[in-house]
Amino acid sequence: MHIPDGFLSPPVAIATGIASAAVIAVALNRTRASLGLRQAPIMGLTTAFVFAAQMINFPVAGGTSGHLLGGALASVVLGNPWAATLAMSTVFIIQSILFADGGITALGANIFNMGLVGIWVGWWLLQPLQQLLGGSRNRLPLAAGIAAALSVVAASVCCAIELAISGTVPLNIALPAMVGVHILIGIGEGVITGGVLTYLVKVRPDLLPGEKPQLQKWLAPVVGVLLISGVLSLFASSWPDGLDSVAEKYGFKDKESAAIENPTPLADYKVKGLEEQPIGTSIAGLLGSAVSFGAAFGIAQLVKPKDV
């Protein structure tokens, strides 16, 4: 669902950019009280996991693929939608600047759709769903999975509206097309979110809110993130993702343009000079995960209270 340069009009790009920047500023302040020394590594690891997981596109139907957005999952693991906002924004900024995934002019819209809407819709749905399912921690994966699936559909609605307001494609075409394919992608989002949380509830409950993190047991989660970004990413589906598929089907793919030249040597998650080699993707994935962890860890350290 990463919107490239050229799909949004300047007013829409500016408006979503301002909205996202404002929410990030609030998130920096609202997160301050919840982050301590032990929360910073979890925020870094969550951010790195989301980056790595988004490299793996899974096939859905009709030659279309999707990938985890991760907003709902991040808010559950961090126990704070504001902290999740910072984590997800970090991922999208790194993807746009270092890997040319998502346009620089569309960065605000991508943060707004997949970060803010993806996080907050999932967070608002989680509590009533969990209560409806009995309220126990064992029901958390199911409640979060359903919330995550619906959050993807909500994000696709926002994307469709932005495309329509920009004059890229009429709303009566964009809305059903985007929602239709993202219902399928949302199912994948729900399964992955539920699966990750099932693992955490049963195996590593210390990484969930309200528990004391056992940082000495971090080897397995770190190795897992590195395997996802460096190895499993090689098996990502080559089919176009939901937005690309809709753009190709309804004839506005040619509006994509490089409005701002991005000279990054890591474009499309490949290393310049190793574009045709799998090792290039692995290096890009490992580098992206490391940068994501470091950036999120640094933000957590920056905003945490001085006396923690």
Side-chain angles (χ1 to χ4, degrees):
M1 203 188 302
H2 291 73
I3 302 174
D5 289 320
F7 277 16
L8 297 181
S9 66
V12 172
I14 292 172
T16 51
I18 292 174
S20 295
V23 175
I24 290 172
V26 175
L28 286 169
N29 183 56
R30 297 292 293 272
T31 304
R32 187 182 305 278
S34 67
L35 290 179
L37 181 61
R38 287 185 174 274
Q39 283 71 38
I42 292 181
M43 184 164 164
L45 186 61
T46 301
T47 306
F49 175 80
V50 170
F51 173 88
Q54 288 197 2
M55 287 187 68
I56 304 177
N57 276 47
F58 51 84
V60 285
T64 303
S65 68
H67 60 70
L68 179 80
L69 297 191
L73 176 62
S75 66
V76 173
V77 173
L78 296 173
N80 184 328
W82 295 108
T85 296
L86 296 180
M88 295 296 293
S89 298
T90 300
V91 169
F92 296 125
I93 291 170
I94 289 171
Q95 288 175 332
S96 176
I97 296 176
L98 287 185
F99 299 95
D101 187 11
I104 290 178
T105 59
L107 178 58
N110 285 325
I111 291 174
F112 186 89
N113 298 338
M114 294 184 285
L116 307 184
V117 174
I119 289 169
W120 287 93
V121 169
W123 181 258
W124 284 327
L125 290 174
L126 175 63
Q127 314 304 329
L129 281 171
Q130 193 171 4
Q131 290 300 316
L132 189 64
L133 294 171
S136 71
R137 173 165 279 190
N138 287 334
R139 298 293 185 180
L140 176 63
L142 178 58
I146 296 172
L150 295 174
S151 74
V152 171
V153 177
S156 73
V157 170
C158 290
C159 182
I161 292 173
E162 292 158 2
L163 294 174
I165 294 175
S166 297
T168 301
V169 58
L171 185 62
N172 63 344
I173 293 176
L175 191 58
M178 287 293 290
V179 170
V181 70
H182 283 90
I183 287 176
L184 301 177
I185 295 172
I187 293 173
E189 177 94 8
V191 170
I192 295 171
T193 300
V196 171
L197 290 174
T198 297
Y199 167 79
L200 294 178
V201 168
K202 294 184 178 300
V203 182
R204 293 300 307 273
D206 60 291
L207 295 178
L208 292 172
E211 305 290 340
K212 185 177 181 180
Q214 299 178 32
L215 302 184
Q216 69 273 20
K217 295 182 178 179
W218 270 50
L219 180 59
V222 170
V223 170
V225 169
L226 295 178
L227 284 175
I228 292 171
S229 60
V231 179
L232 295 183
S233 61
L234 300 176
F235 300 96
S237 173
S238 61
W239 289 352
D241 71 8
L243 176 57
D244 283 337
S245 179
V246 170
E248 290 178 359
K249 182 176 180 179
Y250 293 99
F252 62 91
K253 179 68 176 174
D254 59 352
K255 290 181 179 292
E256 181 176 346
S257 64
I260 295 179
E261 184 178 356
N262 186 346
T264 176
L266 300 171
D268 297 327
Y269 302 95
K270 298 176 181 177
V271 176
K272 189 174 183 179
L274 296 173
E275 290 88 348
E276 304 302 324
Q277 304 298 323
I279 188 65
T281 300
S282 295
I283 292 173
L286 293 172
L287 180 61
S289 294
V291 172
S292 297
F293 179 91
F297 184 89
I299 292 171
Q301 292 287 52
L302 179 67
V303 303
K304 72 180 178 64
K306 299 298 182 185
D307 58 346
V308 174

